[in-house]
Amino acid sequence: MSADAASTDSPPAGPDKPVSAVEVVGVSKVFNRGKASHVDALVDIDLTIVPGEFVSLIGPSGCGKSTLLRLIANLTEPTGGTITVAGKPARTARLEQDYGMAFQQAGLFEWRTVAKNIELPLELKGWDRAKRRARAREMLELVKLPDFADHLPWQLSGGMQQRIAIARALAAHPPLLLMDEPFGALDEMTREHMQAELLRICAETGTTVIFVTHSIPEAVYLSNRVVVMSPRPGRITQIVDVPLGADRTDDTREDGAFYGKITEVREALRGAEFDLTAKGIEDR
Ligand code: ADP
Ligand code: MG
């Protein structure tokens, strides 16, 4: 690049261009195309996420949150559009294990110890035993359960199991973490504690997160941006910025600005519902 080009305001091009963590462009997803059971799960989805960002997806059941997450993970293919993860096609990113995933159920293998559960993705990558053990220990420190390596999953509480699931998802140090309602089965106090822990872990590791939730306060507390979606067909109706700063604590939950953002997301969700009702009337 010439010195002149570098001094202009235009974004850098070529190798200097910062790589998005995730880039979703014009994506649609139709299930059961051409059949009576046809579902337009997602239409016209555009979303760019920068490295280190925490983005939540929120919207009523059936609006396509899980489908969007599964598309980014390349567990299903889009009907139209393109998805790039860490600058690569989503399929390449999946094959190279550039992301970790966590779900509502921790999904630990009951016959494997906690350490062996965390080591699983590393076994799949062909790491040797000593290196796997060392990384499992490091991850147990990260999630603050260093004394539980040799326990079996049933010996842990729900919140502890969910920490192990996060440790496993992050064991290979993927740049991206995809989470589908991971705290949905936890009681409110444990849930708030896990939210704070997740923010700490992400700050320590620099991980980018896409987080699906039904909870407005959870989305606002965790996120840099909240993506509001509406169903039939699933689309993004609004993206709410949450500039509450990087250091979020229990005090954040009592902050007027926090409540302001909750109201803004709630109204965006109502707006999406209203659009839907108006459309229903038109369709009649
Ligand atoms: P959400 O996670 O927001 O509740 P989903 O992404 O699970 O929504 O689903 C979006 C829509 O796509 C729903 O109408 C759902 O029934 C439909 N859907 C999801 N997965 C499939 C599938 N494998 N086959 C057919 N329809 C599906
Ligand atoms: Mg879902």
Side-chain angles (χ1 to χ4, degrees):
M1 194 192 281
S2 74
D4 275 357
S7 67
T8 64
D9 287 340
S10 56
D16 293 337
K17 185 170 182 261
V19 173
S20 302
V22 176
E23 201 152 341
V24 178
V25 182
V27 161
S28 59
K29 177 68 182 178
V30 181
F31 287 109
N32 305 329
R33 189 149 47 151
K35 297 185 191 155
S37 54
H38 163 118
V39 180
D40 281 310
L42 293 169
V43 293
D44 295 336
I45 302 292
D46 290 305
L47 183 62
T48 300
I49 297 174
V50 301
E53 205 178 5
F54 199 119
V55 172
S56 288
L57 309 179
I58 197 165
S61 202
C63 71
K65 303 180 292 297
S66 295
T67 301
L68 181 51
L69 215 60
R70 291 172 54 78
L71 284 166
I72 293 166
N74 189 243
L75 299 176
T76 183
E77 292 278 348
T79 310
T82 57
I83 300 176
T84 313
V85 175
K88 309 165 195 173
R91 184 181 140 76
T92 311
R94 172 173 58 80
L95 295 175
E96 295 180 4
Q97 297 185 40
D98 282 330
Y99 63 81
M101 279 192 103
F103 304 92
Q104 183 164 346
Q105 299 305 326
L108 303 176
F109 292 100
E110 292 296 332
W111 63 90
R112 281 185 159 238
T113 62
V114 160
K116 285 274 183 193
N117 266 284
I118 297 173
E119 287 178 37
L120 191 62
L122 310 177
E123 279 177 39
L124 296 175
K125 280 196 145 186
W127 287 30
D128 69 49
R129 190 162 182 281
K131 207 171 153 205
R132 291 197 316 255
R133 285 255 111 179
R135 179 58 61 81
R137 264 200 303 278
E138 181 195 317
M139 298 314 292
L140 283 165
E141 293 282 347
L142 180 71
V143 299
K144 296 201 172 137
L145 292 172
D147 301 329
F148 290 85
D150 298 323
H151 284 60
L152 286 166
W154 64 266
Q155 296 174 300
L156 276 60
S157 71
M160 289 158 85
Q161 291 190 21
Q162 205 50 267
R163 280 169 196 250
I164 300 304
I166 293 169
R168 179 177 60 188
L170 294 179
H173 288 180
L176 176 66
L177 180 58
L178 303 173
M179 308 184 88
D180 198 345
E181 302 188 41
F183 307 147
L186 304 178
D187 65 78
E188 194 58 25
M189 290 309 294
T190 307
R191 188 170 182 155
E192 289 193 354
H193 185 60
M194 288 299 295
Q195 291 163 5
E197 282 295 286
L198 179 60
L199 286 185
R200 176 186 62 78
I201 289 166
C202 293
E204 277 181 33
T205 55
T207 312
T208 310
V209 185
I210 310 181
F211 189 98
V212 169
T213 181
H214 277 119
S215 161
I216 300 174
E218 180 167 79
V220 170
Y221 179 76
L222 290 171
S223 309
N224 301 116
R225 288 188 295 155
V226 178
V227 174
V228 178
M229 298 176 66
S230 77
R232 284 174 295 275
R235 62 201 164 83
I236 295 174
T237 53
Q238 201 173 320
I239 298 182
V240 177
D241 281 317
V242 187
L244 293 178
D247 192 21
R248 302 188 186 186
T249 63
D250 278 347
D251 291 342
T252 308
R253 300 184 196 276
E254 285 159 24
D255 196 332
F258 177 69
Y259 284 112
K261 282 293 160 186
I262 287 180
T263 304
E264 198 175 329
V265 172
R266 185 177 295 123
E267 284 174 358
L269 280 163
R270 279 212 198 109
E273 287 290 326
F274 179 76
D275 281 356
L276 205 67
T277 319
K279 193 161 163 291
I281 291 166
E282 255 173 46
D283 289 349
R284 235 179 272 157

